[in-house]
Amino acid sequence: MKKVIVYFLLCIASSVTVLGAGGIDKWVRVNQLGYLPADVKVAVYISTVSDEVKHFELHDAATGAVVFKAKPLECAGAAKWGMKRAYRLNFSSFRKDGGYYLICGGAKSPVFKINADIYDATADYLLNYMRQQRCGYNPYTDTLCHQDDGYIVCHPTRSGEKIDVTGGWHDAADYLQYQTTSATATYQMLFAYIEQKDKSVFKDEYLANGKKGRNGIPDILDEAKWGLEWLMKMNPENKVMFSQIADDRDHIGMHLPQDDKIDYGWGPGKGRPVYFVTGKPEGLGKWINRTTGVSSVAGKFASSFAMGAQIFKDIDPEMAKKMETKAEQAYDFALEDPGNTQTACLRSPYFYEEDSYVDDIELAASTFYHYTGNAGWKKQADYWGQLEPVTPWMELGRARHYEWYPFVNLGHYYMAESSDSKISGKYIEFMREGLEDISKRAAGDPFMNGIPYVWCSNNLTSGAITQARLYQKASGDSTYVEMEAALRDWLFGCNPWGTSMIAGLPYYGDYPVEPHSSYVIVNHDIPYGGLVDGPVYKSVFTERAGKSLRHADSYAVFNNGIAVYHDDVGDYASNEQTMDGTASLIYYLAQKENEGLGYKKNVYVKDNLGVIRKINPDKKDIYLVFTADSLFNGIPSILKTLEDKNIKASFFLTGNCLRMREHRSLIKRMIKDGNYVGGHSDGHLLYSPWGQPDSSNFTYDEIIADLGRNMSELARFGIKIDDARWFLPPYEHCNKLSETALENAGMRVVNYTPGIATPADYTIPSMPSYKTSDELIAKLYAFEHANTLNGAILLIHPGVQPSRPDMLFERLGEIIESLQQKGYDFKSLGNIDDSDL
């Protein structure tokens, strides 16, 4: 979607606020993605005025009815964010599936969902950004870049030699490539995959080269393999390792990767330096880093190769065997020269100041132990793990840039999972101590956030929620569940700025539209799926990027607290996306999607808009549906056939239809007969122009308002909204905006199964697309023969222009009998049991 459209969406998606004497002064912040039914659900009210708040209300988004009311909890830390008042609004006990908004102190939140599917496809969504960051061949631009990488530097005898290190990922908005972040991202993706109970959360929709298609391998493993192949190039032989490609000479202007013409000494765009790992301080100019050894690099090689060897042993046995050997060699090298390797810079003193390495050795040893159960590996992992019980940033609440990295110690989790109770108990306690440190700093904060707002604070937040989830899994202790929820919700809009920190997620939300990226500046596009750096202390922003903003600060009223954030393409301190930060969040989102699967009793096959097209395709059930606006001439015949066949069906009616006096008795009859009756919009809206899915004829708010009127008309017939959650779009046509609005309002959007042909029963002889009923029935049966109708949604129009010579609805009995003879049962959508939601 073009940036101008995104801006339009953001304008109409903004939460409703209250205008006081001083302007906008009250806000309710929520997780815009929504909540699973059993989630801790806490919104936050903030205000720049001192008015006391006595209660808050949860409203049904479609009807406006109050469904929950409670007293808010006032927080002492409002001033931390430049506010006069702040309250936590806890509605965790409310679990009913639907779409809602909150009202507190006169401020209204955005509409959000409570549903089992809110995390569906979110983990895979982040892979969009990973593919965009690919170097060598970039599937997003469909071009080659950096084909001459690279020339060895910092080697005692081989400097200037050209080697092949093409591939991997660009680190962020710049095009540098670091082993430390790439190996961490690779391990995080492998870990995310292996730790999922139901691996169906990871789909196969892209080829190994990142282009659309299927290759029989989950996309997350394709992406991890892309990283592993590059890492093998960066570690071509035993004790020969390279830590980075390019340096801060890269930081000249914004251009697409294929247009990178920076001259590192071998000609413009003709090759970049690849830094050899010496274990000693490095730098090609004035600025020299503080490297003390090789262990941080070698340990990351070892853990990534060890995990990769296990996962790819059946997918690519030859590659897996090589990685197994490299993993053991890298581990031995890590022990040979203990210490950390930092990245190198030339033009400025800013580099990744990694000062830890014992966690990297522990992760490698614990990965070996996890897969082999070998007591020797347990002893090694325990030795190194005890040297850093708590990740230092968690304990101290501070860090220089990437000083203590990775931001979460997954080695501790593998040790906490040990069958040795003594070892397990020790590492569970280490994990608890880190979370407790964060929790103490969060005391009084309305957002329950104890993360230090250093550069890349969102990456630390991702690390914290990962550790909280793993801690609960290993220990069974739920002490930090609310903090975990608060930090998760922070990333999706429950923060002072009310914005998600992931571009494009949720689809109709407030998210970064101007991240610091050449794709924004050059292509006027958004790097979807990328996690931005996140809020930073004011002092950090002033020092690093204080004069970088390119337009007026749209978040100025929220930037009077401890930290600042700007959705501004110039702000590389808070609004730049990072490859490793994005990858680090995949595990958690996949876990939440897996959690959502536990609520689901039914399997819904959805199209690319999220509209349900089949239900439980493993069963020989057909869902017969009818949609109507004003034409109703087939209803008497249809109801008679259904009664004769003892079948219940589903009818979707517009408000126009429901208001027509001549239809009332028939509508009452279809309800009395036990059929499902749901909404089809109020005014029979055409949500978007035909053939223009990115355009909309109505705004998000207009669609929800129309839905509310439709529900009000259904209520006149005694149909409650909880009995009318299934919704079939008018004209059997919608786009992503309308689908999202309806879903957020609590509807389950459904449409006919593509290929069944019967929806063309409205055509008349004067239309080029006219099809006789014989043709439509023949096509339906041919489709059934080729594909089955298991779980199909079979649509027939109950009202057709009189100029059509043959009415398909008059042959309904014939169709039912034929399909029943093939073993199919006909069911109403009212038969779908989602009561657990």
Side-chain angles (χ1 to χ4, degrees), residues 89-112:
L89 319 180
N90 193 324
F91 57 105
S92 301
S93 61
F94 188 88
R95 300 169 56 122
K96 185 179 290 186
D97 178 42
Y100 305 96
Y101 59 83
L102 287 157
I103 290 183
C104 181
K108 180 181 176 183
S109 78
V111 172
F112 58 87

mmCIF file of all heavy atoms in Angstrom, residues 89-112:
data_model
loop_
_atom_site.group_PDB
_atom_site.id
_atom_site.type_symbol
_atom_site.label_atom_id
_atom_site.label_comp_id
_atom_site.label_asym_id
_atom_site.label_seq_id
_atom_site.Cartn_x
_atom_site.Cartn_y
_atom_site.Cartn_z
ATOM 1 N N LEU A 89 -6.170 -0.095 33.641
ATOM 2 C CA LEU A 89 -7.561 -0.533 33.467
ATOM 3 C C LEU A 89 -7.563 -2.036 33.228
ATOM 4 O O LEU A 89 -7.319 -2.503 32.106
ATOM 5 C CB LEU A 89 -8.216 0.199 32.294
ATOM 6 C CG LEU A 89 -7.910 1.701 32.141
ATOM 7 C CD1 LEU A 89 -8.634 2.270 30.928
ATOM 8 C CD2 LEU A 89 -8.291 2.464 33.403
ATOM 9 N N ASN A 90 -7.813 -2.797 34.265
ATOM 10 C CA ASN A 90 -7.708 -4.253 34.182
ATOM 11 C C ASN A 90 -9.074 -4.863 33.875
ATOM 12 O O ASN A 90 -10.012 -4.750 34.666
ATOM 13 C CB ASN A 90 -7.175 -4.810 35.503
ATOM 14 C CG ASN A 90 -6.743 -6.262 35.394
ATOM 15 O OD1 ASN A 90 -7.354 -7.053 34.680
ATOM 16 N ND2 ASN A 90 -5.688 -6.625 36.104
ATOM 17 N N PHE A 91 -9.196 -5.500 32.713
ATOM 18 C CA PHE A 91 -10.426 -6.191 32.348
ATOM 19 C C PHE A 91 -10.135 -7.652 31.991
ATOM 20 O O PHE A 91 -10.792 -8.246 31.144
ATOM 21 C CB PHE A 91 -11.155 -5.460 31.206
ATOM 22 C CG PHE A 91 -10.346 -5.252 29.949
ATOM 23 C CD1 PHE A 91 -10.581 -6.012 28.813
ATOM 24 C CD2 PHE A 91 -9.356 -4.271 29.884
ATOM 25 C CE1 PHE A 91 -9.858 -5.814 27.643
ATOM 26 C CE2 PHE A 91 -8.625 -4.064 28.724
ATOM 27 C CZ PHE A 91 -8.873 -4.850 27.599
ATOM 28 N N SER A 92 -9.153 -8.220 32.681
ATOM 29 C CA SER A 92 -8.713 -9.588 32.394
ATOM 30 C C SER A 92 -9.817 -10.618 32.561
ATOM 31 O O SER A 92 -9.822 -11.645 31.873
ATOM 32 C CB SER A 92 -7.534 -9.958 33.293
ATOM 33 O OG SER A 92 -6.450 -9.083 33.105
ATOM 34 N N SER A 93 -10.744 -10.376 33.474
ATOM 35 C CA SER A 93 -11.791 -11.366 33.728
ATOM 36 C C SER A 93 -12.804 -11.459 32.600
ATOM 37 O O SER A 93 -13.579 -12.417 32.522
ATOM 38 C CB SER A 93 -12.517 -11.044 35.033
ATOM 39 O OG SER A 93 -13.142 -9.767 34.959
ATOM 40 N N PHE A 94 -12.809 -10.471 31.708
ATOM 41 C CA PHE A 94 -13.722 -10.501 30.570
ATOM 42 C C PHE A 94 -13.062 -11.286 29.443
ATOM 43 O O PHE A 94 -12.001 -10.903 28.950
ATOM 44 C CB PHE A 94 -14.069 -9.087 30.105
ATOM 45 C CG PHE A 94 -15.157 -9.054 29.071
ATOM 46 C CD1 PHE A 94 -16.484 -9.000 29.456
ATOM 47 C CD2 PHE A 94 -14.858 -9.097 27.725
ATOM 48 C CE1 PHE A 94 -17.509 -8.980 28.509
ATOM 49 C CE2 PHE A 94 -15.858 -9.088 26.770
ATOM 50 C CZ PHE A 94 -17.193 -9.032 27.167
ATOM 51 N N ARG A 95 -13.682 -12.380 28.999
ATOM 52 C CA ARG A 95 -13.049 -13.285 28.051
ATOM 53 C C ARG A 95 -13.850 -13.491 26.769
ATOM 54 O O ARG A 95 -13.416 -14.252 25.901
ATOM 55 C CB ARG A 95 -12.821 -14.646 28.709
ATOM 56 C CG ARG A 95 -11.933 -14.618 29.929
ATOM 57 C CD ARG A 95 -11.973 -15.939 30.680
ATOM 58 N NE ARG A 95 -11.626 -17.060 29.826
ATOM 59 C CZ ARG A 95 -10.617 -17.902 30.049
ATOM 60 N NH1 ARG A 95 -9.834 -17.729 31.100
ATOM 61 N NH2 ARG A 95 -10.373 -18.909 29.242
ATOM 62 N N LYS A 96 -14.996 -12.868 26.641
ATOM 63 C CA LYS A 96 -15.896 -13.182 25.530
ATOM 64 C C LYS A 96 -15.339 -12.708 24.192
ATOM 65 O O LYS A 96 -14.886 -11.572 24.041
ATOM 66 C CB LYS A 96 -17.264 -12.562 25.771
ATOM 67 C CG LYS A 96 -18.302 -12.947 24.710
ATOM 68 C CD LYS A 96 -19.660 -12.321 25.006
ATOM 69 C CE LYS A 96 -20.315 -12.950 26.218
ATOM 70 N NZ LYS A 96 -21.693 -12.440 26.404
ATOM 71 N N ASP A 97 -15.401 -13.572 23.220
ATOM 72 C CA ASP A 97 -14.978 -13.272 21.855
ATOM 73 C C ASP A 97 -15.770 -12.093 21.304
ATOM 74 O O ASP A 97 -16.993 -12.023 21.462
ATOM 75 C CB ASP A 97 -15.219 -14.522 20.997
ATOM 76 C CG ASP A 97 -14.860 -14.306 19.543
ATOM 77 O OD1 ASP A 97 -13.837 -13.685 19.276
ATOM 78 O OD2 ASP A 97 -15.627 -14.770 18.670
ATOM 79 N N GLY A 98 -15.085 -11.137 20.667
ATOM 80 C CA GLY A 98 -15.787 -10.013 20.074
ATOM 81 C C GLY A 98 -14.887 -8.831 19.814
ATOM 82 O O GLY A 98 -13.665 -8.903 19.972
ATOM 83 N N GLY A 99 -15.497 -7.724 19.391
ATOM 84 C CA GLY A 99 -14.785 -6.478 19.158
ATOM 85 C C GLY A 99 -15.238 -5.442 20.159
ATOM 86 O O GLY A 99 -16.446 -5.315 20.433
ATOM 87 N N TYR A 100 -14.297 -4.664 20.704
ATOM 88 C CA TYR A 100 -14.624 -3.788 21.831
ATOM 89 C C TYR A 100 -13.835 -2.484 21.765
ATOM 90 O O TYR A 100 -12.859 -2.362 21.030
ATOM 91 C CB TYR A 100 -14.318 -4.495 23.157
ATOM 92 C CG TYR A 100 -15.004 -5.827 23.289
ATOM 93 C CD1 TYR A 100 -14.327 -7.016 22.957
ATOM 94 C CD2 TYR A 100 -16.329 -5.915 23.700
ATOM 95 C CE1 TYR A 100 -14.966 -8.241 23.047
ATOM 96 C CE2 TYR A 100 -16.972 -7.143 23.801
ATOM 97 C CZ TYR A 100 -16.290 -8.305 23.468
ATOM 98 O OH TYR A 100 -16.920 -9.516 23.547
ATOM 99 N N TYR A 101 -14.258 -1.527 22.587
ATOM 100 C CA TYR A 101 -13.456 -0.350 22.879
ATOM 101 C C TYR A 101 -13.679 0.013 24.342
ATOM 102 O O TYR A 101 -14.676 -0.377 24.966
ATOM 103 C CB TYR A 101 -13.791 0.819 21.950
ATOM 104 C CG TYR A 101 -15.230 1.287 21.976
ATOM 105 C CD1 TYR A 101 -15.690 2.176 22.954
ATOM 106 C CD2 TYR A 101 -16.131 0.850 21.007
ATOM 107 C CE1 TYR A 101 -17.006 2.608 22.967
ATOM 108 C CE2 TYR A 101 -17.453 1.266 21.018
ATOM 109 C CZ TYR A 101 -17.888 2.147 22.002
ATOM 110 O OH TYR A 101 -19.201 2.564 22.024
ATOM 111 N N LEU A 102 -12.746 0.752 24.910
ATOM 112 C CA LEU A 102 -12.805 1.183 26.294
ATOM 113 C C LEU A 102 -13.094 2.681 26.365
ATOM 114 O O LEU A 102 -12.622 3.449 25.509
ATOM 115 C CB LEU A 102 -11.477 0.896 27.002
ATOM 116 C CG LEU A 102 -11.181 -0.565 27.316
ATOM 117 C CD1 LEU A 102 -9.679 -0.772 27.481
ATOM 118 C CD2 LEU A 102 -11.913 -1.023 28.574
ATOM 119 N N ILE A 103 -13.853 3.081 27.379
ATOM 120 C CA ILE A 103 -14.047 4.493 27.666
ATOM 121 C C ILE A 103 -13.669 4.733 29.121
ATOM 122 O O ILE A 103 -14.127 4.022 30.021
ATOM 123 C CB ILE A 103 -15.496 4.945 27.409
ATOM 124 C CG1 ILE A 103 -15.781 4.929 25.896
ATOM 125 C CG2 ILE A 103 -15.735 6.345 27.971
ATOM 126 C CD1 ILE A 103 -17.160 5.421 25.521
ATOM 127 N N CYS A 104 -12.800 5.720 29.316
ATOM 128 C CA CYS A 104 -12.341 6.044 30.671
ATOM 129 C C CYS A 104 -12.102 7.547 30.756
ATOM 130 O O CYS A 104 -11.384 8.103 29.900
ATOM 131 C CB CYS A 104 -11.061 5.287 30.994
ATOM 132 S SG CYS A 104 -10.410 5.591 32.651
ATOM 133 N N GLY A 105 -12.712 8.180 31.719
ATOM 134 C CA GLY A 105 -12.516 9.617 31.898
ATOM 135 C C GLY A 105 -12.902 10.435 30.690
ATOM 136 O O GLY A 105 -12.385 11.530 30.481
ATOM 137 N N GLY A 106 -13.769 9.908 29.851
ATOM 138 C CA GLY A 106 -14.189 10.604 28.644
ATOM 139 C C GLY A 106 -13.350 10.302 27.421
ATOM 140 O O GLY A 106 -13.677 10.730 26.319
ATOM 141 N N ALA A 107 -12.255 9.557 27.585
ATOM 142 C CA ALA A 107 -11.407 9.182 26.451
ATOM 143 C C ALA A 107 -11.789 7.796 25.962
ATOM 144 O O ALA A 107 -12.168 6.922 26.757
ATOM 145 C CB ALA A 107 -9.937 9.209 26.857
ATOM 146 N N LYS A 108 -11.670 7.593 24.689
ATOM 147 C CA LYS A 108 -12.071 6.332 24.064
ATOM 148 C C LYS A 108 -10.872 5.676 23.394
ATOM 149 O O LYS A 108 -10.091 6.326 22.700
ATOM 150 C CB LYS A 108 -13.163 6.594 23.025
ATOM 151 C CG LYS A 108 -13.669 5.360 22.297
ATOM 152 C CD LYS A 108 -14.736 5.766 21.284
ATOM 153 C CE LYS A 108 -15.215 4.574 20.459
ATOM 154 N NZ LYS A 108 -16.200 4.992 19.443
ATOM 155 N N SER A 109 -10.738 4.390 23.580
ATOM 156 C CA SER A 109 -9.625 3.646 22.967
ATOM 157 C C SER A 109 -9.940 3.301 21.526
ATOM 158 O O SER A 109 -11.102 3.369 21.103
ATOM 159 C CB SER A 109 -9.373 2.353 23.751
ATOM 160 O OG SER A 109 -10.344 1.370 23.404
ATOM 161 N N PRO A 110 -8.934 2.875 20.766
ATOM 162 C CA PRO A 110 -9.219 2.264 19.470
ATOM 163 C C PRO A 110 -10.020 0.983 19.665
ATOM 164 O O PRO A 110 -10.001 0.376 20.752
ATOM 165 C CB PRO A 110 -7.828 1.960 18.897
ATOM 166 C CG PRO A 110 -6.885 2.802 19.679
ATOM 167 C CD PRO A 110 -7.489 2.964 21.032
ATOM 168 N N VAL A 111 -10.709 0.543 18.632
ATOM 169 C CA VAL A 111 -11.418 -0.744 18.657
ATOM 170 C C VAL A 111 -10.386 -1.869 18.612
ATOM 171 O O VAL A 111 -9.389 -1.789 17.898
ATOM 172 C CB VAL A 111 -12.384 -0.847 17.465
ATOM 173 C CG1 VAL A 111 -12.975 -2.253 17.365
ATOM 174 C CG2 VAL A 111 -13.500 0.184 17.592
ATOM 175 N N PHE A 112 -10.615 -2.914 19.398
ATOM 176 C CA PHE A 112 -9.711 -4.056 19.419
ATOM 177 C C PHE A 112 -10.517 -5.344 19.566
ATOM 178 O O PHE A 112 -11.709 -5.320 19.912
ATOM 179 C CB PHE A 112 -8.707 -3.939 20.575
ATOM 180 C CG PHE A 112 -9.349 -3.834 21.930
ATOM 181 C CD1 PHE A 112 -9.687 -4.973 22.662
ATOM 182 C CD2 PHE A 112 -9.644 -2.592 22.482
ATOM 183 C CE1 PHE A 112 -10.296 -4.875 23.901
ATOM 184 C CE2 PHE A 112 -10.258 -2.479 23.726
ATOM 185 C CZ PHE A 112 -10.587 -3.631 24.437
#
